[in-house]
Amino acid sequence: MAEIEHLDTSHVRLADRPLIVCDVDDVVLQFIVPFERFLESEGYRLVPRSFKLHGNIETPDGTAADEGTVSRLIETFFERQEEWQAPLLLAEETLARLSGTADIVLLTAMPPVYRDQRRRLLDRFELHYPLLASLQPKGPIVKALHGTRDVPVVFIDDMVRNLHSVHDHVEDCLLLHLMPESDVHRFAPSAMEGIARVKGWEEASVHIGEHFGASGGSGRG
């Protein structure tokens, strides 16, 4: 497996079978709903005007939080994520079933310093899949993980830039744009043609099954 700069992938062991790489926030774990509750506990609120956090957080009297305050709030949430986050509907069950025929790697876009908190949180819900935490573009990471193996590969994310990055680096990868319904996500940009928008894990599972079948089966391991 090729190495990515400053990213330890030594704990990722892939068999000769399909690979599913999943984002975590708002794909496997709820993010926006618990983050809004967290903000309220800190005396702030999220007022969505665009698909981002900076510029959309303010105090109850309408005073906008400055960039530094927003960054601090996000970092504090990641430090305390174990108190707030839980899996999305059907995420645990669907991944458990898919893990019978595919390897699963969780690729979270967060500062690696908070990896241990996330690992404990995922393990609490029996989501024991290998975890990579990085702020690097995801395309090169997925390419390094998958390499030149002749097995199906799937990538799931709620961020268009990550989906497009993987599209540019990994051939024949099934790309699924999965994100929850929320006031923030309604501002999310659309992905390019050919990237399926799925409403949840039940729909994602159907696409994955079809992709594995069209790719000639589910692997040999």
Side-chain angles (χ1 to χ4, degrees):
M1 184 185 300
E3 291 299 319
I4 300 297
E5 185 178 5
H6 307 306
L7 181 61
D8 180 12
T9 60
S10 61
H11 61 293
V12 180
R13 298 283 189 270
L14 302 181
D16 185 19
R17 60 182 193 162
L19 171 64
I20 301 171
V21 182
C22 293
D23 179 36
V24 176
D25 285 313
D26 274 339
V27 174
V28 175
L29 296 177
Q30 298 173 32
F31 174 80
I32 199 64
V33 170
F35 184 67
E36 288 182 291
R37 293 199 297 264
F38 163 76
L39 288 176
E40 292 174 1
S41 75
E42 295 289 314
Y44 293 89
R45 63 179 181 177
L46 181 64
V47 184
R49 304 180 186 88
S50 61
F51 188 52
K52 60 181 183 179
L53 299 178
H54 286 272
N56 289 326
I57 294 175
E58 59 185 38
T59 61
D61 66 3
T63 302
D66 59 41
E67 294 285 306
T69 297
V70 173
S71 295
R72 178 185 60 78
L73 287 166
I74 295 170
E75 291 170 1
T76 302
F77 180 77
F78 282 140
E79 288 175 355
R80 297 172 51 193
Q81 59 188 281
E82 295 167 88
E83 303 172 29
W84 297 95
Q85 291 184 270
L88 265 70
L89 181 67
L90 298 180
E92 298 161 275
E93 303 94 316
T94 306
L95 288 172
R97 180 173 53 78
L98 290 170
S99 70
T101 55
D103 288 321
I104 296 171
V105 176
L106 304 179
L107 176 55
T108 185
M110 66 183 299
V113 68
Y114 304 116
R115 181 191 179 281
D116 288 349
Q117 290 96 320
R118 177 134 296 175
R119 179 72 274 168
R120 290 193 300 266
L121 176 58
L122 292 166
D123 287 345
R124 183 196 307 168
F125 295 105
E126 299 187 2
L127 295 162
H128 302 301
Y129 313 107
L131 172 67
L132 299 173
S134 176
L135 296 176
Q136 299 179 58
K138 292 190 175 182
I141 296 176
V142 178
K143 180 179 179 180
L145 289 172
H146 185 55
T148 59
R149 301 179 320 135
D150 187 22
V151 291
V153 57
V154 178
F155 178 70
I156 309 170
D157 208 295
D158 69 323
M159 294 287 186
V160 166
R161 67 174 181 272
N162 296 326
L163 292 158
H164 290 178
S165 177
V166 174
H167 172 272
D168 292 343
H169 287 85
V170 184
E171 293 184 3
D172 301 321
C173 180
L174 173 65
L175 302 168
L176 297 179
H177 190 192
L178 188 158
M179 60 182 181
E181 298 289 337
S182 77
D183 289 340
V184 174
H185 285 90
R186 66 188 176 92
F187 290 103
S190 299
M192 66 173 64
E193 185 176 353
I195 298 178
R197 169 78 167 92
V198 294
K199 295 180 180 179
W201 277 102
E202 183 173 7
E203 189 175 350
S205 178
V206 173
H207 283 270
I208 293 169
E210 291 174 350
H211 181 64
F212 286 176
S215 300
S218 59
R220 298 180 292 279

